[in-house]
Amino acid sequence: MQPQNRRRLYLLGALGAGALFTAGCASLTPEPIRISGDDIQQRLARSFPLDRRMLGLLDVHAEVPLLDLRNAGAGRMGLRLPVQVRERLSGQTFDVSLGFTALPLWDKAARCVRLTMVQVTDLTLARNQQPLALLERLGSVVAETALENLIIYQMTDDRVAWLERLGWHVASVRIADNALQVQLMQGAP
């Protein structure tokens, strides 16, 4: 083989190896971590039912919230919480359905996604019951007690170590395609 052809062969080999290396590095780029609505619903089920005495006058029993990621606006997720409220003085019981929205936020120190900025969107009573004045305050109290700062995803130690070895960190959390996506980014957090 002539020296000129040999140089071309080496050059083509080097270019090919460089392309393979670049493609290999690109495949190491982590995709966003996808947490399905079903996975979040299972996590919620581990934290409920919840029984609390509130405002000293109400016994509250909250069932597992139902998650809705489809119509979440402005990066918020929807939740519907079935609640049974018993007024301690009269013994009267109310079946309430509370609608909430919450913002999922990455907690760097705890390496988890928490629900934050929980807001009541509606309160519906079953069976045409007349609401107590206290029920109007119930929504925000239940939100603070049951849902604010609730962990809905915990990153495993193995995944954290793997991401740290690659120099990746969590950049943001967003809702897309009926799932929660933890976006990753390379570089210093």
Side-chain angles (χ1 to χ4, degrees), residues 25-26 28-31 159-171 183-189:
C25 288
L28 290 177
T29 303
E31 293 289 321
R159 181 168 270 183
V160 169
W162 178 73
L163 290 172
E164 286 177 351
R165 278 194 307 274
L166 293 175
W168 292 83
H169 67 277
V170 173
Q183 304 291 320
L184 303 171
M185 184 173 149
Q186 194 168 31

Side-chain angles (χ1 to χ4, degrees), residues 1-179:
M1 189 181 291
Q2 294 189 6
Q4 187 178 23
N5 288 340
R6 207 175 287 147
R7 274 185 248 137
R8 283 186 188 156
L9 187 59
Y10 286 132
L11 180 58
L12 287 174
L15 287 173
L20 285 174
F21 177 75
T22 303
C25 288
S27 68
L28 290 177
T29 303
E31 293 289 321
I33 299 167
R34 185 180 187 281
I35 304 121
S36 73
D38 290 340
D39 290 340
I40 297 170
Q41 189 65 55
Q42 288 174 6
R43 174 65 188 203
L44 290 169
R46 288 189 290 238
S47 300
F48 287 85
L50 183 69
D51 291 300
R52 293 280 194 277
R53 180 160 291 154
M54 296 188 173
L55 308 173
L57 300 172
L58 303 173
D59 289 329
V60 177
H61 174 79
E63 290 293 330
V64 178
L66 302 173
L67 179 68
D68 183 8
L69 295 175
R70 293 171 296 172
N71 298 322
R76 299 177 70 82
M77 58 179 51
L79 298 142
R80 176 135 315 267
L81 185 63
V83 178
Q84 187 175 63
V85 179
R86 188 177 74 74
E87 185 187 21
R88 295 186 70 220
L89 296 175
S90 71
Q92 190 174 8
T93 301
F94 299 90
D95 292 318
V96 181
S97 177
L98 292 167
F100 296 96
T101 63
L103 184 67
L105 186 68
W106 177 252
D107 181 337
K108 180 182 172 186
R111 297 173 171 166
C112 67
V113 176
R114 294 183 184 275
L115 294 181
T116 61
M117 297 171 43
V118 177
Q119 295 176 345
V120 178
T121 56
D122 66 87
L123 182 147
T124 307
L125 287 169
R127 300 185 308 265
N128 298 323
Q129 296 172 325
Q130 295 297 316
L132 287 170
L134 288 175
L135 287 180
E136 294 177 8
R137 294 179 50 199
L138 175 71
S140 59
V141 173
V142 170
E144 291 169 9
T145 304
L147 297 173
E148 188 72 30
N149 290 316
L150 183 68
I151 296 172
I152 58 171
Y153 170 73
Q154 181 72 55
M155 191 177 287
T156 64
D157 291 339
D158 290 344
R159 181 168 270 183
V160 169
W162 178 73
L163 290 172
E164 286 177 351
R165 278 194 307 274
L166 293 175
W168 292 83
H169 67 277
V170 173
S172 65
V173 176
R174 68 185 193 102
I175 298 169
D177 302 325
N178 202 27

